[in-house]
Amino acid sequence: MMEPLPEHIKLFRSLFHGRQDIFATRWELPSKSGYMPAYHYDPYHYRVHKMKGGTFQNYTDKSFLPLTDDQIIKHLNGEHFIGIYPLLQDNTSWFIAADFDEGNWSSAALQFIRKCGEHNLPAYLERSRSGNGGHVWIFFDKPVSAYKSRKLILSLLISSGAVSAFDKNTSFDRLFPNQDQLSGKGFGNLIALPLNGTAAQQGNTCFLDPQTLTAYTDQWQFISQIKRASAETIEKLLANLHGSSTTEPSDGKLNIILANDIRLNRLAISPLLLSFIKEELNFPNSEFIIQQKTGRNTFGLERYSGSSKKITTLSVFPKDLPAS
């Protein structure tokens, strides 16, 4: 990667735009690794706190670091590896990305990209940090409801064959953002930023030519040509695929969607009614694996529950996965 210019930083931040008041950095130990929010704190005061038996978790004299140009430059130069939180505080996002891994990740990702192309939805493939997976990114011209973008992209994943309710070996892992709404307990899931200086030297975290699966020689030139889908396009595609049943989930009200199946939102179902549904309307629930793969809580959903009296399919939507 060439040294980023000011216009590169501006372009990068406009595309990979998540929460600006917080970001995460990757940490690695011999036996494990992960990401944690970046904080500002006084090392001396923290050392005193730790000597008294305290931990970083219960150390209160710390604050989140905002995502600045300097932090982006450090990521692009390989000084650290940043993860951003795509779900904004109003439950919208500037992009959505599908994560693929395992042995046939590239073929599944390309299936999905072709399906997006059939609907004139620009989609771009990036190889992940490990090199053993990839992200397919779709960018918006303004923030779009996570509920709507996730609903649309999941439909395209299923119709492309990249996701199947009956195939437990699918390469699709999750969506970013992985929640329709913030739970109030965290920031939602994070996604690692591309073009990390260290990983890019091995051809990872770079955007790939879908014809050859090789990294574009000039990554800055490539991302300068990335197209953003309009919010109106997302609305139209969603309406074409799902009709008028694209309203946002409501709190406390029982929503019943009638199509080829019957769908109820679990938050509005009493424990007694839920028990009746599970015991008396007991048949295979094809939603289980899809809910699992898209990051939604599967608590209360049976993987298999056969019934010889099956007439239709009833799916109970679980509550949002607690943000981590």
Side-chain angles (χ1 to χ4, degrees):
M1 289 287 294
M2 296 169 51
E3 185 71 19
L5 300 173
E7 55 264 35
H8 293 153
I9 306 302
K10 183 178 180 181
L11 171 63
F12 189 87
R13 297 195 70 170
S14 71
L15 281 172
F16 308 102
H17 190 117
R19 290 279 293 262
Q20 301 298 292
D21 58 331
I22 183 174
F23 67 98
T25 55
R26 182 177 174 80
W27 55 267
E28 293 189 12
L29 295 175
S31 59
K32 56 183 179 179
S33 61
Y35 291 84
M36 68 173 292
Y39 291 96
H40 171 75
Y41 62 95
D42 187 318
Y44 173 76
H45 287 162
Y46 172 62
R47 207 159 42 239
V48 172
H49 171 76
K50 193 174 180 180
M51 289 172 62
K52 294 178 180 180
T55 65
F56 193 77
Q57 185 175 7
N58 60 29
Y59 180 64
T60 57
D61 193 17
K62 62 182 187 286
S63 59
F64 294 121
L65 283 175
L67 185 60
T68 63
D69 286 357
D70 286 341
Q71 298 294 347
I72 295 294
I73 291 171
K74 289 179 180 179
H75 170 83
L76 295 172
N77 287 338
E79 295 178 48
H80 62 191
F81 203 117
I82 285 180
I84 60 169
Y85 299 92
L87 190 57
L88 306 181
Q89 289 161 300
D90 62 355
N91 299 313
T92 64
S93 67
W94 283 91
F95 62 80
I96 189 165
D99 182 31
F100 298 86
D101 54 26
E102 304 299 337
N104 62 338
W105 68 268
S106 58
S107 60
L110 292 176
Q111 280 181 260
F112 174 54
I113 289 174
R114 284 192 290 270
K115 179 57 66 173
C116 290
E118 292 174 10
H119 294 275
N120 297 315
L121 187 63
Y124 304 94
L125 178 60
E126 172 231 353
R127 183 180 283 120
S128 63
R129 181 195 60 83
S130 67
N132 298 319
H135 303 132
V136 175
W137 297 78
I138 296 168
F139 302 95
F140 309 133
D141 65 351
K142 61 183 178 181
V144 171
S145 157
Y147 169 76
K148 292 183 178 180
S149 64
R150 282 167 44 79
K151 187 179 181 72
L152 171 63
I153 297 309
L154 180 57
S155 295
L156 296 178
L157 282 163
I158 294 171
S159 62
S160 73
V163 171
S164 170
F166 306 103
D167 182 4
K168 294 185 285 186
N169 297 316
T170 176
S171 293
F172 170 70
D173 185 50
R174 69 188 72 185
L175 291 175
F176 301 95
N178 205 25
Q179 301 87 15
D180 292 336
Q181 298 176 323
L182 289 168
S183 69
K185 298 179 181 179
F187 308 105
N189 66 325
L190 62 85
I191 183 170
L193 284 177
L195 305 189
N196 173 261
T198 302
Q201 292 177 4
Q202 283 77 47
N204 300 332
T205 72
C206 293
F207 285 91
L208 307 180
D209 182 339
Q211 303 299 323
T212 63
L213 291 180
T214 57
Y216 289 104
T217 303
D218 190 335
Q219 292 284 306
W220 290 120
Q221 181 183 26
F222 171 75
I223 67 172
S224 70
Q225 299 171 352
I226 282 178
K227 297 179 181 179
R228 297 167 171 86
S230 70
E232 292 74 18
T233 295
I234 301 301
E235 291 280 0
K236 289 178 181 177
L237 287 175
L238 193 55
N240 289 339
L241 293 172
H242 290 279
S244 59
S245 59
T246 59
T247 56
E248 301 284 346
S250 58
D251 295 330
K253 296 181 180 180
L254 180 60
N255 298 319
I256 302 176
I257 300 174
L258 301 177
N260 294 327
D261 54 8
I262 304 173
R263 301 187 178 192
L264 311 176
N265 57 315
R266 183 175 172 234
L267 281 176
I269 300 176
S270 69
L272 184 61
L273 177 57
L274 183 60
S275 177
F276 171 80
I277 291 172
K278 290 169 62 179
E279 297 300 327
E280 302 300 327
L281 302 178
N282 198 16
F283 42 76
N285 186 356
S286 62
E287 288 290 324
F288 181 92
I289 294 176
I290 294 177
Q291 297 283 57
Q292 185 182 55
K293 287 290 183 181
T294 54
R296 297 183 180 182
N297 194 347
T298 57
F299 180 79
L301 292 178
E302 299 288 344
R303 187 184 293 269
Y304 303 107
S305 50
S307 170
S308 61
K309 299 180 180 179
K310 175 180 176 183
I311 298 176
T312 185
T313 300
L314 186 147
S315 302
V316 181
F317 284 179
K319 61 184 179 181
D320 287 339
L321 185 71
S324 57

